[in-house]
Amino acid sequence: MAVRLEIALKPHLFDAQGSELCRMIHDYFGWRVGSARVIQVLTLDAGLNEEEVKAVRTEIFTNPVTQVSSTEPLARAQDFDWAVWVGFRPGVRDTAGSVALEAIADYLRRPLDPKAAAYTSKLFLLRDAPLSRHQVDVVARELLANDIIQQWRIYAPQDWDPREGIGIILPKVELAHTPTVQTLAVGSDQELQKLSDQRNLALNPRDIPVIRAYFLREDVREERRRVGLDLPTDVELEAISQARSDHCNHNTFRGKFYYRDLDSGDASVVDSLFKTCIEAPTLEIQRRKDWVVSVLWDNAGVARFDDDHHYVITAETHNSPSNMEAYGGALTGIVGVYRDPMGTGKGSRLIAGFYGYCVGPRDYAGPLRPHLHPRRLLDGVVEGVRDGGNKHGVPTVFGNLLYHPSYLGKCLVFVGAIGLMPQTVKGEPTEQKKPNPGDLIIMAGGRVGKDGIHGVTASSESYSEQTPAGHVQIGDPYTQKKMHDFLLEARDEGLITFITDNGGGGLSSSIGESAQMAGGAFVELDKVPLKYEGLDVWEIWVSESQERMTVAVRPENLDRFMELARLHEVECTVIGRYEDSGKLHLTYQGRTCAYLDLSFFREDFPQWEFEAQWRSPRSRGLTEPVLSEPEDWGRLLCDLLASPNLCSREWIQRQYDHEVQGTSAVKFLVGRDRDVPNDAAVIRPVLTSNRGLAVTQALHPTYAQIDTYHMVEASIDECVRRLLSVGGMLDEIGGVDNFCWPNIQYDPERNPDGRYKAAQLVRANWALRDMCLAYQIPLLSGKDSMYVDGHLPGAYGERHKVSGLPTLQFTATTVVPDVTRCLTMDVKMPGDLVYVLGITRNELGASEYYQHLGHVGLNIPRAHSEDFLRLYRALERAVAQGLCASCRAVGRGGLAVHGAMAAIAGRLGMTWDLSRVPAEGSLSHVALLFSESLGRFLVTVPPQREAAFQELMEGLPAARIGRVTEAPIFQIRGTDGKELVQVPVESLRKAWSGTWSQEPV
Amino acid sequence: MKDVRALVLTGFGLNCDWETAHILHLAGALPERVHLNAIIGGTKRLADYHLFVIGGGFSWADEHGAGVILAMRLKHRLRDEILSFVDRGGLVLGICNGFQVLVNTGLLPGFEPGTWDRQAALVANDCGTFRDQWVHVVFNDQSPCVFTRGLHTMDLPVRHGEGKFFAEADVIQKLEANNQVVLRYATADGRPAQGAFPANPNGSINDIAGICDPTGRILGLMPHPEAFNHWTNHPDWTLEKERRQRTGEPLPEQGAGVLFFRNAVDHVRTRG
């Protein structure tokens, strides 16, 4: 007998959640709702008797100080104008439900029935809510629920049954299905192609003959017959599809590009962007730098931190899932990327997370209808990363946000993670791992369900209320945090010989890849613990259910490993063993269901091929806009500061625990009001040491409108300068590249500009190679996500393809020898001297200034890395000697914007003289103030340290342009000596922080 | 000198254990990170320690109320151990999630020791979301709390979604009368915030940031002293560095948060 508990705040207490809902209804729709109350619903289907129900209700689920509860409906019809119930669909991860079961079993001191279930949901009561049923439905759909993972019901007072309330709703997964293994006929290429289409295998047409040829080989057939197989099974084809997918294989980056410059007629063939632009430079740099420990093969890169520790870093994207279900997608993304450092080497402890979001305009009001409006999408993504990081106990230290209409088609969600490992464990290098034949294969963490199995729900004929919401997942940081702590203890006891995470591709990917290292694997799929019955065997193999790791343990260590697992209450199951058979051998209930040669996965599958055609920006018709100099400089500066991509994002970072672990040395947000983004964040990961690790990120997709080569130059150069600005070392910078690109495969109808997008990708990679070599930056890790396109409904029933701008997010880290040398960007003391380092050029192309006025332009910022490096070395010395009081890498918005931000942060004024700014040629005021030339810094120096500073800057482009003033006014004189800008810093701050009122400046 | 042994609780989503152990070490204690199940299973005994710290984190993911499930487990599995630990003069410190646990067990306010009566709560912040920010706190010099002897004001970070201290009027009155309110959210000049956001980050009644039991040996607080273990943890340290360098003052090393733990160590050494 199922029972429903309802729990609510006592009526006289303030309901913060309800109040937040009213605020959001007003923000989103402009509708006024007087008040809202939230009732928590817990539906138990756990075989409890009446006495037990009462006991758990009062002892566990009701706080006598603040809450009331009942098994009867708490709401009466007179309590609301509208009531909305929101609950999960079947099969969606309900952490609160599983925690409830844990607590009940613990309280009753008895195990519950294995089929016992608990479901949480919410009932929202809206009062003084003069809304129509349709409006309430909009609130439910847009704010309270996402129909992919949740269901809802709306009640008016006259609908309300005071005795039954919402009734008993059990979103139970029931699959009336007996697991099978099917064999599939592949008599011809066409037949296999058809199978691929039917089953969503997404096999590349070029791979199909290779796959068929394998199964037709006489020696293969002979061996298969011996284990009772003949035709390929569904398990095998799914495994092959998984192994060959672009996601796992990076087929695009390993493909062949036929590149032509249509202006010059020059043509070249690029054989593998990965090999030529990522692997080759990184290996060359690794030979020269002994701090580069392990790159290009594991789940994350490993670099030396100090004499005893390495740090581990990677970053990923989770775009498509976040685009469908923002909260769940982003949460799953951050929790997923955290498993990478956990599964690197023998495992590392997580010490930091970071993020980057690219979304459509927050106030988009055009005709296109994306699945989620950018505002809701961003709110959901922000919350998902918040809960994932906070509940994992990992500080979220840095992040990016960019609004651009091109991301209406698909948003980008970058998530990154840093771990720390001791250099050795039990005398063995921690960064190394290898499963050996005879090692047991253990699946640790969560159970397996239909999660992440694409297209299953849609193609299932028996779609019903009990069908699991398959392809969208909700990460569970709680389960994973327990596993994280457990695995580190197991590592330190020397129990782990190999570990990797189960992410994309699930067991298929983690065991498939590690079997290659061991020389074979044997897995009994019926041993894998399931969330619910009825999964097909192939589904168990490829399911992407979260919070799971695959671990190799020697048989003699199994007992101790399991003992630790029990202590930490982490589910671990032996599901097979590594072998030296050369085979991937899977069985289900004793019968072989897959038997594949490991060598088959290493076969030469045909390379993907792309046509790439480039035209220079000039020949594409780009020009500089024809503009005269503005007159109202003060208002222009305020409006730029208020623009979406420059204004304050404190509301995001404030929700992220960025100080857990006690390691924070330079926070992302700095200044007297602690709200201005600093160039980089610095943590002190080893608490007994003053050594620091700095991390920063940059992305500049709007530059892609002119040339992706220079876009990448700008991002990497900016990262280098940002790390120097906080006190990082130039010689120990490591990079992580994350490419997000629209589809580059040319198709006359569906992708007519595919060749151009392919050329953009090639040029971006060339810049990556050139910059990494110039600055000697090894790529510690990187990923690509190749299909950033969406098809959005328009006003008349037509669909528009919207491709995201080509985007590279670059993440960079470096070591800080002693955090007490670190700097922040806020100006510190009146009387300090303001220096500009680096040359300003007429480079306003795709700048914030042009964008603000509706132009793109042509003159894109370019890197002059050799010249830049001389300056960077000098600045590094100045910072090491403690000569600077503040330092800012000048980026988007140019000198004026970054000067304003340094003043806002320091709550002090500045006076500048533009005639002193180091410039190439004679520049207009607009260029001096808003050009986005690379290689520049804004530095303040105390008068008593000026002589030493100048000595270091001898012969370099560095000039004193003014000073910091007590009077909080930003004053800029033009090259003609006339006053251009005179704005109170308070007005700048109001504009920038969004509390701008249209008062005259 | 006497060894002061401190147990830092771990497991089930608690997550401030490393830095809490570190700051205890700085304060001269011998810290040990111990999993809850090791105490329940009997391989570790509370009786072997002087100080029991339940630190920050998201035990059981904060589901069904922050600290609720952990409090229940402590109450049902370790009731006698905890009572005798407290009776014999042991110190208990609950930080953030640990404070939420202590009010849910009833160890705080603890008007009548041993009754495990829940009389106070930490509920959702008035602002409606999780916040990480630094706050000024001012200490009550009349409080019997052993952790805060000699402290007047301090800057510390708060990082929570459910930190609003709430109790009915009679309970608040009693807390105030007994001087069990140990620290309050304050403005920069050290005066209570009087409910004003963001100086009071969550809407706590009477700006209450932490309370102790009548003996002063059990303390719960929302701000994180262990997160101010090094002077570079403070958001303004780069300005402070400039100020000190120009006046020739030496730079500090530790953060002020260590003072809580040093007080605890001193208490155990002199009285324990």
Side-chain angles (χ1 to χ4, degrees), chain A residues 82 95 115 266 271 497 566 584 665 759 797 936:
Chain A
W82 290 103
T95 303
K115 288 208 156 43
D266 291 349
D271 190 349
T497 59
R566 279 191 299 276
L584 179 65
R936 296 178 303 159

PDB file of all heavy atoms in Angstrom, chain A residues 82 95 115 266 271 497 566 584 665 759 797 936:
ATOM      1  N   TRP A  82      -4.785  28.745  -7.519  1.00  0.00           N
ATOM      2  CA  TRP A  82      -4.344  27.672  -8.411  1.00  0.00           C
ATOM      3  C   TRP A  82      -3.355  26.792  -7.656  1.00  0.00           C
ATOM      4  O   TRP A  82      -2.552  27.297  -6.882  1.00  0.00           O
ATOM      5  CB  TRP A  82      -3.635  28.227  -9.659  1.00  0.00           C
ATOM      6  CG  TRP A  82      -4.555  28.939 -10.602  1.00  0.00           C
ATOM      7  CD1 TRP A  82      -4.679  30.287 -10.758  1.00  0.00           C
ATOM      8  CD2 TRP A  82      -5.477  28.336 -11.515  1.00  0.00           C
ATOM      9  NE1 TRP A  82      -5.626  30.569 -11.716  1.00  0.00           N
ATOM     10  CE2 TRP A  82      -6.130  29.393 -12.197  1.00  0.00           C
ATOM     11  CE3 TRP A  82      -5.825  27.012 -11.826  1.00  0.00           C
ATOM     12  CZ2 TRP A  82      -7.105  29.158 -13.173  1.00  0.00           C
ATOM     13  CZ3 TRP A  82      -6.784  26.785 -12.802  1.00  0.00           C
ATOM     14  CH2 TRP A  82      -7.421  27.850 -13.461  1.00  0.00           C
ATOM     15  N   THR A  95      17.168  11.723  -6.492  1.00  0.00           N
ATOM     16  CA  THR A  95      18.108  11.533  -5.384  1.00  0.00           C
ATOM     17  C   THR A  95      17.391  11.623  -4.043  1.00  0.00           C
ATOM     18  O   THR A  95      17.643  10.830  -3.137  1.00  0.00           O
ATOM     19  CB  THR A  95      19.231  12.585  -5.448  1.00  0.00           C
ATOM     20  OG1 THR A  95      19.871  12.485  -6.720  1.00  0.00           O
ATOM     21  CG2 THR A  95      20.271  12.351  -4.370  1.00  0.00           C
ATOM     22  N   LYS A 115      12.155  -3.990  -3.977  1.00  0.00           N
ATOM     23  CA  LYS A 115      11.310  -3.238  -4.907  1.00  0.00           C
ATOM     24  C   LYS A 115      10.753  -1.964  -4.266  1.00  0.00           C
ATOM     25  O   LYS A 115       9.993  -1.224  -4.895  1.00  0.00           O
ATOM     26  CB  LYS A 115      10.152  -4.124  -5.382  1.00  0.00           C
ATOM     27  CG  LYS A 115      10.602  -5.221  -6.348  1.00  0.00           C
ATOM     28  CD  LYS A 115       9.459  -5.586  -7.291  1.00  0.00           C
ATOM     29  CE  LYS A 115       9.891  -6.193  -8.606  1.00  0.00           C
ATOM     30  NZ  LYS A 115      10.936  -7.184  -8.580  1.00  0.00           N
ATOM     31  N   ASP A 266      45.885  28.613 -53.730  1.00  0.00           N
ATOM     32  CA  ASP A 266      46.745  27.644 -53.040  1.00  0.00           C
ATOM     33  C   ASP A 266      45.910  26.523 -52.437  1.00  0.00           C
ATOM     34  O   ASP A 266      44.829  26.768 -51.905  1.00  0.00           O
ATOM     35  CB  ASP A 266      47.528  28.322 -51.909  1.00  0.00           C
ATOM     36  CG  ASP A 266      48.573  29.276 -52.463  1.00  0.00           C
ATOM     37  OD1 ASP A 266      48.808  29.222 -53.692  1.00  0.00           O
ATOM     38  OD2 ASP A 266      49.123  30.075 -51.680  1.00  0.00           O
ATOM     39  N   ASP A 271      46.377  16.166 -43.109  1.00  0.00           N
ATOM     40  CA  ASP A 271      46.071  14.800 -42.707  1.00  0.00           C
ATOM     41  C   ASP A 271      46.057  14.751 -41.182  1.00  0.00           C
ATOM     42  O   ASP A 271      47.100  14.665 -40.554  1.00  0.00           O
ATOM     43  CB  ASP A 271      47.135  13.854 -43.280  1.00  0.00           C
ATOM     44  CG  ASP A 271      46.728  12.402 -43.096  1.00  0.00           C
ATOM     45  OD1 ASP A 271      45.757  12.144 -42.348  1.00  0.00           O
ATOM     46  OD2 ASP A 271      47.381  11.533 -43.690  1.00  0.00           O
ATOM     47  N   THR A 497      44.682  -1.041  -9.724  1.00  0.00           N
ATOM     48  CA  THR A 497      45.712  -1.112 -10.767  1.00  0.00           C
ATOM     49  C   THR A 497      45.314  -0.287 -11.986  1.00  0.00           C
ATOM     50  O   THR A 497      46.154   0.167 -12.737  1.00  0.00           O
ATOM     51  CB  THR A 497      45.971  -2.564 -11.225  1.00  0.00           C
ATOM     52  OG1 THR A 497      44.749  -3.111 -11.716  1.00  0.00           O
ATOM     53  CG2 THR A 497      46.483  -3.412 -10.090  1.00  0.00           C
ATOM     54  N   ARG A 566      32.064  -1.099   1.503  1.00  0.00           N
ATOM     55  CA  ARG A 566      30.962  -1.200   2.472  1.00  0.00           C
ATOM     56  C   ARG A 566      31.030  -0.077   3.496  1.00  0.00           C
ATOM     57  O   ARG A 566      30.010   0.509   3.857  1.00  0.00           O
ATOM     58  CB  ARG A 566      30.996  -2.563   3.179  1.00  0.00           C
ATOM     59  CG  ARG A 566      30.368  -3.690   2.369  1.00  0.00           C
ATOM     60  CD  ARG A 566      30.186  -4.951   3.207  1.00  0.00           C
ATOM     61  NE  ARG A 566      31.452  -5.480   3.700  1.00  0.00           N
ATOM     62  CZ  ARG A 566      32.254  -6.282   2.983  1.00  0.00           C
ATOM     63  NH1 ARG A 566      31.902  -6.658   1.769  1.00  0.00           N
ATOM     64  NH2 ARG A 566      33.392  -6.717   3.487  1.00  0.00           N
ATOM     65  N   LEU A 584      37.222  -9.441 -26.916  1.00  0.00           N
ATOM     66  CA  LEU A 584      36.212  -8.874 -26.038  1.00  0.00           C
ATOM     67  C   LEU A 584      35.090  -9.905 -25.993  1.00  0.00           C
ATOM     68  O   LEU A 584      34.419 -10.144 -26.999  1.00  0.00           O
ATOM     69  CB  LEU A 584      35.697  -7.543 -26.609  1.00  0.00           C
ATOM     70  CG  LEU A 584      34.607  -6.878 -25.784  1.00  0.00           C
ATOM     71  CD1 LEU A 584      35.130  -6.446 -24.426  1.00  0.00           C
ATOM     72  CD2 LEU A 584      34.041  -5.663 -26.524  1.00  0.00           C
ATOM     73  N   ALA A 665      42.987  31.624  -2.862  1.00  0.00           N
ATOM     74  CA  ALA A 665      44.018  32.649  -2.653  1.00  0.00           C
ATOM     75  C   ALA A 665      43.710  33.912  -3.456  1.00  0.00           C
ATOM     76  O   ALA A 665      43.874  35.017  -2.963  1.00  0.00           O
ATOM     77  CB  ALA A 665      45.396  32.114  -3.018  1.00  0.00           C
ATOM     78  N   ALA A 759      37.014  25.131 -43.393  1.00  0.00           N
ATOM     79  CA  ALA A 759      38.223  25.957 -43.485  1.00  0.00           C
ATOM     80  C   ALA A 759      38.433  26.744 -42.193  1.00  0.00           C
ATOM     81  O   ALA A 759      39.560  26.914 -41.722  1.00  0.00           O
ATOM     82  CB  ALA A 759      38.112  26.910 -44.675  1.00  0.00           C
ATOM     83  N   GLY A 797       5.593  28.437 -39.335  1.00  0.00           N
ATOM     84  CA  GLY A 797       5.668  26.985 -39.447  1.00  0.00           C
ATOM     85  C   GLY A 797       6.920  26.497 -40.149  1.00  0.00           C
ATOM     86  O   GLY A 797       7.124  25.298 -40.289  1.00  0.00           O
ATOM     87  N   ARG A 936      48.476  43.540 -24.345  1.00  0.00           N
ATOM     88  CA  ARG A 936      48.512  44.746 -23.501  1.00  0.00           C
ATOM     89  C   ARG A 936      48.079  44.480 -22.049  1.00  0.00           C
ATOM     90  O   ARG A 936      47.270  43.594 -21.785  1.00  0.00           O
ATOM     91  CB  ARG A 936      47.592  45.816 -24.096  1.00  0.00           C
ATOM     92  CG  ARG A 936      48.050  46.290 -25.474  1.00  0.00           C
ATOM     93  CD  ARG A 936      47.099  47.318 -26.048  1.00  0.00           C
ATOM     94  NE  ARG A 936      45.732  46.804 -26.134  1.00  0.00           N
ATOM     95  CZ  ARG A 936      44.651  47.576 -26.205  1.00  0.00           C
ATOM     96  NH1 ARG A 936      44.778  48.898 -26.214  1.00  0.00           N
ATOM     97  NH2 ARG A 936      43.451  47.032 -26.288  1.00  0.00           N
TER      98      ARG A 936
END
